[in-house]
Amino acid sequence: GYTREAGCCVTATAARNKMDLIAVVMGSPTKKQCFDEALRVFNKGFSSYQPLFAVRKGDVIATDVPVKYGEPRFVRILAGEDLSVVAQKGAKRRFSLDLSLTGDLQAPLDASAVVGKVVVREDGREIGQVPALTADAVQKHVRFWERFF
């Protein structure tokens, strides 16, 4: 767009290699310069930065989480979504993952049941959360005598 006060302005988005960028350019004297600057910002962003995944969908977060009345008695917990940050190419960052269950797990449970969240931290600061899912279904264990009552 254009106004006398702000000059030529553009807001644009671009996606490449699982990374989305936003460019906001204001105050350009011409529309061509405005779009050229947005293109320069995108080229710089895509050449200098990359998505860095803290956790990937399907990553095993915990093994052997107990399931009350479950058969099997334990279940694996998986990350339900990807979580990434934008980082300079070649950067090394360390993330920690904390599993926060909604409570004690109790059978029956479906496969991919949401049972809590995975909290992702960097340097002790929370940077995001993804759902925590059961890896497999867990049936309710019925004792022999319970079948008759």
Side-chain angles (χ1 to χ4, degrees):
Y2 175 84
T3 66
R4 248 184 308 221
E5 295 80 23
C8 290
C9 304
V10 68
T11 302
T13 63
R16 188 185 305 162
N17 298 326
K18 296 191 177 194
M19 185 169 69
D20 298 327
L21 296 180
I22 300 170
V24 178
V25 179
M26 300 176 72
S28 292
T30 69
K31 190 184 294 187
K32 181 180 180 338
Q33 286 176 322
C34 189
F35 285 105
D36 287 347
E37 180 63 13
L39 182 60
R40 188 192 69 72
V41 168
F42 287 137
N43 287 334
K44 174 71 173 173
F46 288 124
S47 67
S48 300
Y49 295 89
Q50 66 183 7
L52 187 61
F53 287 89
V55 66
R56 302 293 301 249
K57 181 178 181 178
D59 282 353
V60 176
I61 304 303
T63 58
D64 297 334
V65 174
V67 180
K68 190 173 185 179
Y69 310 120
E71 182 60 44
R73 294 180 12 211
F74 300 93
V75 70
R76 290 179 304 136
I77 304 297
L78 309 177
E81 298 174 4
D82 290 340
L83 185 105
S84 64
V85 297
V86 176
Q88 283 191 315
K89 286 190 174 178
K92 302 282 190 239
R93 294 170 69 173
R94 295 175 53 113
F95 304 102
S96 64
L97 306 177
D98 297 319
L99 176 59
S100 176
L101 297 173
T102 54
D104 291 337
L105 302 187
Q106 185 170 328
L109 291 169
D110 292 329
S112 300
V114 178
V115 293
K117 59 188 175 185
V118 179
V119 179
V120 181
R121 300 181 193 283
E122 184 177 25
D123 298 325
R125 184 178 63 87
E126 183 178 323
I127 61 167
Q129 301 176 3
V130 299
L133 310 178
T134 55
D136 303 297
V138 179
Q139 303 303 315
K140 185 171 183 179
H141 175 72
V142 179
R143 292 179 180 82
F144 177 76
W145 62 271
E146 290 175 330
R147 294 180 188 167
F148 301 105
F149 298 101

